[in-house]
Amino acid sequence: MSDSPHPSQFALLGQRRFAPFFWTQFLGAGNDNLFKFAFTVLVTYQLNVSWLPPAQAGLAIGALFILPFVLFSATSGQLADKYDKARLMRLVKSLEIVIMALAAYGFYTTQVPVLLGCVFLMGLHSTLFGPVKYAYLPQHLNEHEITGGNGMVEMGTFVSILLGNLAGGLLVATPIVGPQHVAIACVVVAVLGRATAQAIPASPSTDRDLVINWNPVSETWRNLKLAHGQLAVFRSLLGISWMWFFGAVFLANFPAFAKEVLHGNEQVASLLLMVFSVGIGVGSLLCEVLSRRQVEIGLVPLGAIGMSVFAIDLFFASRGLPPSAAMGVGAFLSQHAHWRVLADLGLLALFAGLYSVPMYALIQMRAQPSHRARIIAANNILNAIFMIASSLMAGALLGAGLSIPQLFLVVGILNAVVALYIFLVVPEYLLRFFAFVLSRVIYRFKVDGDRHIPSQGAAVLVCNHVSFVDAVLLMAASPRPIRFLMDHRIFRIPVLGWMFKLAKAIPIAPQKEDAATYEAAFAAAQAVLNDGELVGIFPEGGLTRDGTLQPFKGGVMKLLEGRPELPVVPMALQNLWGSYFSRVEQGQAMVRPFRRGLFSRVGLVAGAPVAAKDVTPELLRERVAGLLGEAEGMAAQPAKA
C-alpha cells in the first residue's frame, strides 16, 4: 500500500541487521525443544524413576520451564532496556553453552535431577532472551518492515520448535546411545547459536540511567503498572496472553487427542504438531501480504473469528470417530474423515498467526522506546500466568468428565466471547477490521505518499469529502488511530453512526446552528493534539453533491491556533465519486449496492506536510486540488497488492 516498493520479508534474511538475530532465535528455540522433548521421552519410556512417574513428567518439565518467566521476566526487561541488546544476546547464548554442557553430563550419566535443573536454567535462558528479542526488532526495522519481521520470527520460532521436537524424539530413540547423541546435539546447537549471535549488530541502550530493581516481586508489579499506563498496549498484551492460553490447550493435548480420539500412534501426534506449526508459520507470513507492509491490527478480529470457527468445527470433525487399533500416519491419512481434522487444525493455527503477529507489532511500535523491553517482560509474565491458568482449566474440565473434543469446543466458544470483549473494550481493532474489509473487498484501495503521514507526534490530516466512508478509508491508510471532526448528522446514520461513535469521532455542528457543539468539538480536538495524536478534518464542511472539490471553510484555522509548527497533511481521495457510498444518485447515497461491482479501484494521495503558520484555507484547497490532479493521472495504474 506504500508509495514506494518494499522488498519481501524474506529479503531480510540477506541483511545483517536481521539475519544473525533470526538464526540466533531459531537455534535457541530449536535447542529448547530438542532438549525438553528428548528429556520427556527419556523419563517416559526409557528410565524408571519412582519419584517422577511418566504421567507427571511432561507436567513437571513444563512447569519448571515456565517458572523463570514468572520469577525473572521483570529483571530481564530492565537489563534489556539498560544495556546493548546485541551484547546481552551474546551473553545469554554463552550461558546456553554452559547449561547444555551441564545437560550433556546429565544425559551421559542419566542424572534426572541434573536434567531437571537444566530445564529450569533453559527457562531462565529463554526468560532473559525474550524481552531482548522483541525490543531488538523496532531498533533495526522501520514501520513498513516490522510486521514482516515479526512474521518471520514467529514462523521461524514454530518451525524450529517442530524441528527441535522431531530431532529430540529421533535422537533419544536411538538404541543404547540415544542420550549421548542428544547431549552432543544440544551442545553443538548452542555453539552454533553463539556463533550467529556474534554477528548481531550493535543495539544501543534505550535507558542507560535505569537503576536495576533486583526484587522480582516489586518489579513485576511495577512492570504491569507500567504496561497498564498505555491501555491500548496493555490490552494487546492481554490479547496475546489469551492466544497462548488458547494455543496451550491444543499443544498440551495433542498426544492424548491422537491416541484416545483419533486412534493414532506417536507418529500421528507428531503429525498434528507439524500441521499446527506449519499453520502458525503460514499465518505469520501472510500478515505482511495482507497488511501491505504496515501494522494492520484489522487482521486481529479476522484471526479471532477463524480461531473460533475452526476450533468449534474440530469438535464436530473429531467426535464419534469409530474405535480402531493404533494407526500409523499412512493408515491415518487414508481415512477422509481425518483430513477434515487436519484442515481444522491447520486453519485454526493459521488464523492464530494472523491474530498474534499484528498485536506484537502494535506493542513494539507504540510502547515507549525507553520502556519497550520492560513492556515485553510484562507480556512474558502475563503469558506464563495465562498458560498456567490454561493447564489448570483444561485439567479441571477433563477431570469433570469432558472429552478432549468437548474441551476444544469450550475453548472455541470461550475465544469468541473473550475476543468480542477485547474488541468492544479496544474498539480500534474492530474499526481497523471494518477498514480492512472495506479497503480490500468492497474497494481495491491504493495509497500513495503514505510516508507523509507522521508515524509519531501530533498532526492534522486534511482531506476532500466524497463519500460516507471517507473516514474509514483514511483509517485503513494510517497505521495510527485518527480522531475525526465529523458533521453531527452522520452519527444518526445506522451502522456508520455507531461505528464513528466507536471510533470516538468528534461531532461538530455549524457555529450558527449550535455554537456549544462547535466550541466543544474544537476543544476536544485540541486535547487530542495535546496528547500527540492525529486529528482528521474535512474542511469542505460536508459531502460533495456533484463530485467537485468545494471551497474550504475557515474552521481548520481555529484548530491550528497557537501551534505554528504543527504539521498539516493535505490528502486527496480519488475515484470515490460514483461509488455506492457517494451521493451520485440524484443527491442520494447507498442506493445501488453493486453499481460499480466489488473491488472498485479507489485511492488516496497524501502530500507533503505544511507548517500550521503557513496554512490558509485557500492554500490547503489548492494543495488538495493539485493532489486530485495527480490522483486522476494515477487512476489508470494497477493497484499495488
Side-chain angles (χ1 to χ4, degrees), residues 522-556:
F522 282 103
Q526 290 286 356
V528 173
L529 293 173
N530 289 339
D531 289 337
E533 301 298 334
L534 300 176
V535 171
I537 187 169
F538 301 101
E540 292 167 276
L543 287 174
T544 179
R545 291 182 176 274
D546 60 6
T548 62
L549 187 65
Q550 306 300 304
F552 281 13
K553 298 184 182 300
V556 66

PDB file of all heavy atoms in Angstrom, residues 522-556:
ATOM      1  N   PHE A 522     -13.959  21.700  18.909  1.00  0.00           N
ATOM      2  CA  PHE A 522     -12.582  22.177  18.777  1.00  0.00           C
ATOM      3  C   PHE A 522     -11.801  21.993  20.076  1.00  0.00           C
ATOM      4  O   PHE A 522     -10.598  21.725  20.050  1.00  0.00           O
ATOM      5  CB  PHE A 522     -12.570  23.632  18.312  1.00  0.00           C
ATOM      6  CG  PHE A 522     -12.826  23.776  16.846  1.00  0.00           C
ATOM      7  CD1 PHE A 522     -14.065  24.185  16.362  1.00  0.00           C
ATOM      8  CD2 PHE A 522     -11.836  23.466  15.927  1.00  0.00           C
ATOM      9  CE1 PHE A 522     -14.302  24.294  15.006  1.00  0.00           C
ATOM     10  CE2 PHE A 522     -12.056  23.569  14.563  1.00  0.00           C
ATOM     11  CZ  PHE A 522     -13.298  23.985  14.100  1.00  0.00           C
ATOM     12  N   ALA A 523     -12.482  22.096  21.211  1.00  0.00           N
ATOM     13  CA  ALA A 523     -11.799  21.842  22.485  1.00  0.00           C
ATOM     14  C   ALA A 523     -11.360  20.380  22.568  1.00  0.00           C
ATOM     15  O   ALA A 523     -10.243  20.074  23.010  1.00  0.00           O
ATOM     16  CB  ALA A 523     -12.733  22.184  23.650  1.00  0.00           C
ATOM     17  N   ALA A 524     -12.239  19.466  22.128  1.00  0.00           N
ATOM     18  CA  ALA A 524     -11.885  18.045  22.141  1.00  0.00           C
ATOM     19  C   ALA A 524     -10.742  17.755  21.182  1.00  0.00           C
ATOM     20  O   ALA A 524      -9.822  16.978  21.489  1.00  0.00           O
ATOM     21  CB  ALA A 524     -13.114  17.208  21.773  1.00  0.00           C
ATOM     22  N   ALA A 525     -10.764  18.372  20.001  1.00  0.00           N
ATOM     23  CA  ALA A 525      -9.696  18.160  19.020  1.00  0.00           C
ATOM     24  C   ALA A 525      -8.366  18.695  19.539  1.00  0.00           C
ATOM     25  O   ALA A 525      -7.304  18.079  19.337  1.00  0.00           O
ATOM     26  CB  ALA A 525     -10.062  18.822  17.701  1.00  0.00           C
ATOM     27  N   GLN A 526      -8.385  19.838  20.215  1.00  0.00           N
ATOM     28  CA  GLN A 526      -7.152  20.393  20.797  1.00  0.00           C
ATOM     29  C   GLN A 526      -6.576  19.437  21.839  1.00  0.00           C
ATOM     30  O   GLN A 526      -5.351  19.263  21.925  1.00  0.00           O
ATOM     31  CB  GLN A 526      -7.445  21.756  21.438  1.00  0.00           C
ATOM     32  CG  GLN A 526      -7.762  22.865  20.452  1.00  0.00           C
ATOM     33  CD  GLN A 526      -6.529  23.354  19.705  1.00  0.00           C
ATOM     34  OE1 GLN A 526      -5.415  22.912  19.967  1.00  0.00           O
ATOM     35  NE2 GLN A 526      -6.732  24.272  18.762  1.00  0.00           N
ATOM     36  N   ALA A 527      -7.448  18.797  22.617  1.00  0.00           N
ATOM     37  CA  ALA A 527      -6.972  17.838  23.623  1.00  0.00           C
ATOM     38  C   ALA A 527      -6.291  16.643  22.956  1.00  0.00           C
ATOM     39  O   ALA A 527      -5.283  16.123  23.456  1.00  0.00           O
ATOM     40  CB  ALA A 527      -8.144  17.370  24.485  1.00  0.00           C
ATOM     41  N   VAL A 528      -6.837  16.210  21.824  1.00  0.00           N
ATOM     42  CA  VAL A 528      -6.219  15.093  21.081  1.00  0.00           C
ATOM     43  C   VAL A 528      -4.824  15.487  20.604  1.00  0.00           C
ATOM     44  O   VAL A 528      -3.858  14.716  20.731  1.00  0.00           O
ATOM     45  CB  VAL A 528      -7.110  14.684  19.887  1.00  0.00           C
ATOM     46  CG1 VAL A 528      -6.392  13.650  19.020  1.00  0.00           C
ATOM     47  CG2 VAL A 528      -8.441  14.131  20.367  1.00  0.00           C
ATOM     48  N   LEU A 529      -4.686  16.695  20.071  1.00  0.00           N
ATOM     49  CA  LEU A 529      -3.376  17.171  19.607  1.00  0.00           C
ATOM     50  C   LEU A 529      -2.407  17.313  20.773  1.00  0.00           C
ATOM     51  O   LEU A 529      -1.207  17.027  20.642  1.00  0.00           O
ATOM     52  CB  LEU A 529      -3.537  18.502  18.873  1.00  0.00           C
ATOM     53  CG  LEU A 529      -4.302  18.436  17.543  1.00  0.00           C
ATOM     54  CD1 LEU A 529      -4.551  19.845  17.003  1.00  0.00           C
ATOM     55  CD2 LEU A 529      -3.547  17.603  16.514  1.00  0.00           C
ATOM     56  N   ASN A 530      -2.915  17.746  21.929  1.00  0.00           N
ATOM     57  CA  ASN A 530      -2.059  17.867  23.117  1.00  0.00           C
ATOM     58  C   ASN A 530      -1.489  16.515  23.533  1.00  0.00           C
ATOM     59  O   ASN A 530      -0.401  16.438  24.113  1.00  0.00           O
ATOM     60  CB  ASN A 530      -2.844  18.468  24.284  1.00  0.00           C
ATOM     61  CG  ASN A 530      -3.150  19.949  24.077  1.00  0.00           C
ATOM     62  OD1 ASN A 530      -2.486  20.627  23.288  1.00  0.00           O
ATOM     63  ND2 ASN A 530      -4.158  20.453  24.767  1.00  0.00           N
ATOM     64  N   ASP A 531      -2.237  15.447  23.222  1.00  0.00           N
ATOM     65  CA  ASP A 531      -1.772  14.096  23.552  1.00  0.00           C
ATOM     66  C   ASP A 531      -0.845  13.523  22.480  1.00  0.00           C
ATOM     67  O   ASP A 531      -0.444  12.355  22.560  1.00  0.00           O
ATOM     68  CB  ASP A 531      -2.973  13.155  23.720  1.00  0.00           C
ATOM     69  CG  ASP A 531      -3.762  13.450  24.996  1.00  0.00           C
ATOM     70  OD1 ASP A 531      -3.172  14.040  25.920  1.00  0.00           O
ATOM     71  OD2 ASP A 531      -4.951  13.093  25.050  1.00  0.00           O
ATOM     72  N   GLY A 532      -0.523  14.345  21.450  1.00  0.00           N
ATOM     73  CA  GLY A 532       0.397  13.885  20.408  1.00  0.00           C
ATOM     74  C   GLY A 532      -0.229  12.957  19.396  1.00  0.00           C
ATOM     75  O   GLY A 532       0.474  12.170  18.753  1.00  0.00           O
ATOM     76  N   GLU A 533      -1.552  13.038  19.214  1.00  0.00           N
ATOM     77  CA  GLU A 533      -2.248  12.142  18.302  1.00  0.00           C
ATOM     78  C   GLU A 533      -2.667  12.860  17.026  1.00  0.00           C
ATOM     79  O   GLU A 533      -2.443  14.066  16.864  1.00  0.00           O
ATOM     80  CB  GLU A 533      -3.467  11.528  19.006  1.00  0.00           C
ATOM     81  CG  GLU A 533      -3.123  10.744  20.269  1.00  0.00           C
ATOM     82  CD  GLU A 533      -2.222   9.548  19.994  1.00  0.00           C
ATOM     83  OE1 GLU A 533      -2.254   9.017  18.860  1.00  0.00           O
ATOM     84  OE2 GLU A 533      -1.464   9.157  20.897  1.00  0.00           O
ATOM     85  N   LEU A 534      -3.297  12.110  16.117  1.00  0.00           N
ATOM     86  CA  LEU A 534      -3.718  12.636  14.818  1.00  0.00           C
ATOM     87  C   LEU A 534      -5.178  13.081  14.849  1.00  0.00           C
ATOM     88  O   LEU A 534      -6.030  12.391  15.416  1.00  0.00           O
ATOM     89  CB  LEU A 534      -3.556  11.571  13.732  1.00  0.00           C
ATOM     90  CG  LEU A 534      -2.147  11.017  13.494  1.00  0.00           C
ATOM     91  CD1 LEU A 534      -2.194   9.903  12.451  1.00  0.00           C
ATOM     92  CD2 LEU A 534      -1.192  12.108  13.054  1.00  0.00           C
ATOM     93  N   VAL A 535      -5.442  14.214  14.222  1.00  0.00           N
ATOM     94  CA  VAL A 535      -6.809  14.702  14.046  1.00  0.00           C
ATOM     95  C   VAL A 535      -7.089  14.782  12.551  1.00  0.00           C
ATOM     96  O   VAL A 535      -6.262  15.295  11.778  1.00  0.00           O
ATOM     97  CB  VAL A 535      -7.012  16.086  14.701  1.00  0.00           C
ATOM     98  CG1 VAL A 535      -8.375  16.679  14.303  1.00  0.00           C
ATOM     99  CG2 VAL A 535      -6.916  15.981  16.213  1.00  0.00           C
ATOM    100  N   GLY A 536      -8.255  14.266  12.129  1.00  0.00           N
ATOM    101  CA  GLY A 536      -8.660  14.339  10.732  1.00  0.00           C
ATOM    102  C   GLY A 536      -9.820  15.296  10.565  1.00  0.00           C
ATOM    103  O   GLY A 536     -10.729  15.330  11.407  1.00  0.00           O
ATOM    104  N   ILE A 537      -9.807  16.079   9.499  1.00  0.00           N
ATOM    105  CA  ILE A 537     -10.863  17.062   9.276  1.00  0.00           C
ATOM    106  C   ILE A 537     -11.162  17.155   7.782  1.00  0.00           C
ATOM    107  O   ILE A 537     -10.258  17.022   6.942  1.00  0.00           O
ATOM    108  CB  ILE A 537     -10.467  18.441   9.860  1.00  0.00           C
ATOM    109  CG1 ILE A 537     -11.638  19.423   9.781  1.00  0.00           C
ATOM    110  CG2 ILE A 537      -9.226  18.998   9.178  1.00  0.00           C
ATOM    111  CD1 ILE A 537     -11.386  20.708  10.569  1.00  0.00           C
ATOM    112  N   PHE A 538     -12.436  17.350   7.463  1.00  0.00           N
ATOM    113  CA  PHE A 538     -12.880  17.537   6.078  1.00  0.00           C
ATOM    114  C   PHE A 538     -13.339  18.990   5.948  1.00  0.00           C
ATOM    115  O   PHE A 538     -14.497  19.322   6.266  1.00  0.00           O
ATOM    116  CB  PHE A 538     -14.028  16.575   5.752  1.00  0.00           C
ATOM    117  CG  PHE A 538     -13.658  15.126   5.929  1.00  0.00           C
ATOM    118  CD1 PHE A 538     -14.048  14.424   7.063  1.00  0.00           C
ATOM    119  CD2 PHE A 538     -12.899  14.459   4.971  1.00  0.00           C
ATOM    120  CE1 PHE A 538     -13.704  13.092   7.238  1.00  0.00           C
ATOM    121  CE2 PHE A 538     -12.543  13.126   5.138  1.00  0.00           C
ATOM    122  CZ  PHE A 538     -12.945  12.439   6.279  1.00  0.00           C
ATOM    123  N   PRO A 539     -12.455  19.889   5.490  1.00  0.00           N
ATOM    124  CA  PRO A 539     -12.737  21.335   5.561  1.00  0.00           C
ATOM    125  C   PRO A 539     -13.850  21.823   4.637  1.00  0.00           C
ATOM    126  O   PRO A 539     -14.274  22.972   4.752  1.00  0.00           O
ATOM    127  CB  PRO A 539     -11.401  21.970   5.159  1.00  0.00           C
ATOM    128  CG  PRO A 539     -10.390  20.900   5.288  1.00  0.00           C
ATOM    129  CD  PRO A 539     -11.103  19.634   5.003  1.00  0.00           C
ATOM    130  N   GLU A 540     -14.335  20.963   3.726  1.00  0.00           N
ATOM    131  CA  GLU A 540     -15.448  21.388   2.882  1.00  0.00           C
ATOM    132  C   GLU A 540     -16.737  21.543   3.690  1.00  0.00           C
ATOM    133  O   GLU A 540     -17.685  22.188   3.244  1.00  0.00           O
ATOM    134  CB  GLU A 540     -15.672  20.378   1.755  1.00  0.00           C
ATOM    135  CG  GLU A 540     -14.552  20.346   0.728  1.00  0.00           C
ATOM    136  CD  GLU A 540     -14.653  19.138  -0.189  1.00  0.00           C
ATOM    137  OE1 GLU A 540     -14.173  18.051   0.204  1.00  0.00           O
ATOM    138  OE2 GLU A 540     -15.213  19.282  -1.287  1.00  0.00           O
ATOM    139  N   GLY A 541     -16.775  20.916   4.864  1.00  0.00           N
ATOM    140  CA  GLY A 541     -17.934  21.066   5.734  1.00  0.00           C
ATOM    141  C   GLY A 541     -19.071  20.120   5.432  1.00  0.00           C
ATOM    142  O   GLY A 541     -20.087  20.123   6.126  1.00  0.00           O
ATOM    143  N   GLY A 542     -18.935  19.286   4.421  1.00  0.00           N
ATOM    144  CA  GLY A 542     -19.975  18.330   4.069  1.00  0.00           C
ATOM    145  C   GLY A 542     -19.599  17.569   2.819  1.00  0.00           C
ATOM    146  O   GLY A 542     -18.611  17.878   2.145  1.00  0.00           O
ATOM    147  N   LEU A 543     -20.403  16.536   2.507  1.00  0.00           N
ATOM    148  CA  LEU A 543     -20.133  15.727   1.323  1.00  0.00           C
ATOM    149  C   LEU A 543     -20.391  16.524   0.052  1.00  0.00           C
ATOM    150  O   LEU A 543     -21.357  17.280  -0.038  1.00  0.00           O
ATOM    151  CB  LEU A 543     -21.050  14.502   1.311  1.00  0.00           C
ATOM    152  CG  LEU A 543     -20.752  13.379   2.309  1.00  0.00           C
ATOM    153  CD1 LEU A 543     -21.850  12.337   2.233  1.00  0.00           C
ATOM    154  CD2 LEU A 543     -19.420  12.741   1.999  1.00  0.00           C
ATOM    155  N   THR A 544     -19.522  16.334  -0.929  1.00  0.00           N
ATOM    156  CA  THR A 544     -19.783  16.931  -2.236  1.00  0.00           C
ATOM    157  C   THR A 544     -21.025  16.302  -2.851  1.00  0.00           C
ATOM    158  O   THR A 544     -21.271  15.099  -2.698  1.00  0.00           O
ATOM    159  CB  THR A 544     -18.570  16.738  -3.175  1.00  0.00           C
ATOM    160  OG1 THR A 544     -18.884  17.304  -4.444  1.00  0.00           O
ATOM    161  CG2 THR A 544     -18.238  15.268  -3.368  1.00  0.00           C
ATOM    162  N   ARG A 545     -21.819  17.110  -3.525  1.00  0.00           N
ATOM    163  CA  ARG A 545     -23.035  16.612  -4.161  1.00  0.00           C
ATOM    164  C   ARG A 545     -22.879  16.448  -5.678  1.00  0.00           C
ATOM    165  O   ARG A 545     -23.763  15.928  -6.338  1.00  0.00           O
ATOM    166  CB  ARG A 545     -24.209  17.548  -3.862  1.00  0.00           C
ATOM    167  CG  ARG A 545     -24.634  17.499  -2.398  1.00  0.00           C
ATOM    168  CD  ARG A 545     -25.832  18.390  -2.130  1.00  0.00           C
ATOM    169  NE  ARG A 545     -26.270  18.262  -0.757  1.00  0.00           N
ATOM    170  CZ  ARG A 545     -27.121  17.333  -0.299  1.00  0.00           C
ATOM    171  NH1 ARG A 545     -27.619  16.439  -1.145  1.00  0.00           N
ATOM    172  NH2 ARG A 545     -27.464  17.300   0.967  1.00  0.00           N
ATOM    173  N   ASP A 546     -21.750  16.909  -6.197  1.00  0.00           N
ATOM    174  CA  ASP A 546     -21.546  16.795  -7.647  1.00  0.00           C
ATOM    175  C   ASP A 546     -20.172  16.241  -8.016  1.00  0.00           C
ATOM    176  O   ASP A 546     -19.806  16.206  -9.188  1.00  0.00           O
ATOM    177  CB  ASP A 546     -21.758  18.155  -8.317  1.00  0.00           C
ATOM    178  CG  ASP A 546     -20.796  19.226  -7.795  1.00  0.00           C
ATOM    179  OD1 ASP A 546     -19.890  18.881  -7.002  1.00  0.00           O
ATOM    180  OD2 ASP A 546     -20.966  20.402  -8.167  1.00  0.00           O
ATOM    181  N   GLY A 547     -19.399  15.821  -7.003  1.00  0.00           N
ATOM    182  CA  GLY A 547     -18.092  15.230  -7.273  1.00  0.00           C
ATOM    183  C   GLY A 547     -16.964  16.227  -7.380  1.00  0.00           C
ATOM    184  O   GLY A 547     -15.800  15.827  -7.516  1.00  0.00           O
ATOM    185  N   THR A 548     -17.264  17.537  -7.305  1.00  0.00           N
ATOM    186  CA  THR A 548     -16.209  18.538  -7.412  1.00  0.00           C
ATOM    187  C   THR A 548     -15.743  18.968  -6.027  1.00  0.00           C
ATOM    188  O   THR A 548     -16.456  18.822  -5.028  1.00  0.00           O
ATOM    189  CB  THR A 548     -16.702  19.777  -8.178  1.00  0.00           C
ATOM    190  OG1 THR A 548     -17.786  20.371  -7.454  1.00  0.00           O
ATOM    191  CG2 THR A 548     -17.158  19.386  -9.571  1.00  0.00           C
ATOM    192  N   LEU A 549     -14.534  19.498  -5.953  1.00  0.00           N
ATOM    193  CA  LEU A 549     -13.963  19.973  -4.697  1.00  0.00           C
ATOM    194  C   LEU A 549     -14.609  21.306  -4.328  1.00  0.00           C
ATOM    195  O   LEU A 549     -14.571  22.265  -5.100  1.00  0.00           O
ATOM    196  CB  LEU A 549     -12.444  20.125  -4.848  1.00  0.00           C
ATOM    197  CG  LEU A 549     -11.660  20.463  -3.578  1.00  0.00           C
ATOM    198  CD1 LEU A 549     -11.753  19.323  -2.567  1.00  0.00           C
ATOM    199  CD2 LEU A 549     -10.193  20.734  -3.927  1.00  0.00           C
ATOM    200  N   GLN A 550     -15.192  21.365  -3.121  1.00  0.00           N
ATOM    201  CA  GLN A 550     -15.879  22.573  -2.671  1.00  0.00           C
ATOM    202  C   GLN A 550     -14.897  23.517  -1.975  1.00  0.00           C
ATOM    203  O   GLN A 550     -13.786  23.118  -1.593  1.00  0.00           O
ATOM    204  CB  GLN A 550     -17.007  22.189  -1.706  1.00  0.00           C
ATOM    205  CG  GLN A 550     -17.978  21.151  -2.263  1.00  0.00           C
ATOM    206  CD  GLN A 550     -18.668  21.621  -3.521  1.00  0.00           C
ATOM    207  OE1 GLN A 550     -19.304  22.674  -3.538  1.00  0.00           O
ATOM    208  NE2 GLN A 550     -18.534  20.849  -4.596  1.00  0.00           N
ATOM    209  N   PRO A 551     -15.282  24.799  -1.766  1.00  0.00           N
ATOM    210  CA  PRO A 551     -14.417  25.717  -1.004  1.00  0.00           C
ATOM    211  C   PRO A 551     -14.186  25.193   0.411  1.00  0.00           C
ATOM    212  O   PRO A 551     -15.058  24.557   1.003  1.00  0.00           O
ATOM    213  CB  PRO A 551     -15.229  27.024  -0.989  1.00  0.00           C
ATOM    214  CG  PRO A 551     -16.146  26.923  -2.161  1.00  0.00           C
ATOM    215  CD  PRO A 551     -16.491  25.477  -2.297  1.00  0.00           C
ATOM    216  N   PHE A 552     -12.988  25.454   0.958  1.00  0.00           N
ATOM    217  CA  PHE A 552     -12.658  25.045   2.327  1.00  0.00           C
ATOM    218  C   PHE A 552     -13.128  26.113   3.300  1.00  0.00           C
ATOM    219  O   PHE A 552     -12.890  27.299   3.097  1.00  0.00           O
ATOM    220  CB  PHE A 552     -11.158  24.820   2.480  1.00  0.00           C
ATOM    221  CG  PHE A 552     -10.675  23.499   1.934  1.00  0.00           C
ATOM    222  CD1 PHE A 552     -11.482  22.713   1.114  1.00  0.00           C
ATOM    223  CD2 PHE A 552      -9.401  23.032   2.239  1.00  0.00           C
ATOM    224  CE1 PHE A 552     -11.036  21.496   0.605  1.00  0.00           C
ATOM    225  CE2 PHE A 552      -8.944  21.818   1.742  1.00  0.00           C
ATOM    226  CZ  PHE A 552      -9.759  21.050   0.922  1.00  0.00           C
ATOM    227  N   LYS A 553     -13.759  25.684   4.378  1.00  0.00           N
ATOM    228  CA  LYS A 553     -14.235  26.611   5.396  1.00  0.00           C
ATOM    229  C   LYS A 553     -13.091  26.982   6.333  1.00  0.00           C
ATOM    230  O   LYS A 553     -12.040  26.333   6.360  1.00  0.00           O
ATOM    231  CB  LYS A 553     -15.398  25.991   6.164  1.00  0.00           C
ATOM    232  CG  LYS A 553     -16.604  25.683   5.266  1.00  0.00           C
ATOM    233  CD  LYS A 553     -17.772  25.162   6.062  1.00  0.00           C
ATOM    234  CE  LYS A 553     -18.944  24.802   5.164  1.00  0.00           C
ATOM    235  NZ  LYS A 553     -19.441  25.928   4.379  1.00  0.00           N
ATOM    236  N   GLY A 554     -13.298  28.000   7.148  1.00  0.00           N
ATOM    237  CA  GLY A 554     -12.217  28.529   7.980  1.00  0.00           C
ATOM    238  C   GLY A 554     -12.026  27.827   9.304  1.00  0.00           C
ATOM    239  O   GLY A 554     -11.127  28.186  10.077  1.00  0.00           O
ATOM    240  N   GLY A 555     -12.865  26.819   9.608  1.00  0.00           N
ATOM    241  CA  GLY A 555     -12.747  26.144  10.903  1.00  0.00           C
ATOM    242  C   GLY A 555     -11.384  25.528  11.143  1.00  0.00           C
ATOM    243  O   GLY A 555     -10.920  25.455  12.279  1.00  0.00           O
ATOM    244  N   VAL A 556     -10.718  25.085  10.063  1.00  0.00           N
ATOM    245  CA  VAL A 556      -9.407  24.473  10.231  1.00  0.00           C
ATOM    246  C   VAL A 556      -8.416  25.437  10.871  1.00  0.00           C
ATOM    247  O   VAL A 556      -7.519  25.024  11.621  1.00  0.00           O
ATOM    248  CB  VAL A 556      -8.881  23.949   8.867  1.00  0.00           C
ATOM    249  CG1 VAL A 556      -8.617  25.101   7.904  1.00  0.00           C
ATOM    250  CG2 VAL A 556      -7.626  23.112   9.056  1.00  0.00           C
TER     251      VAL A 556
END
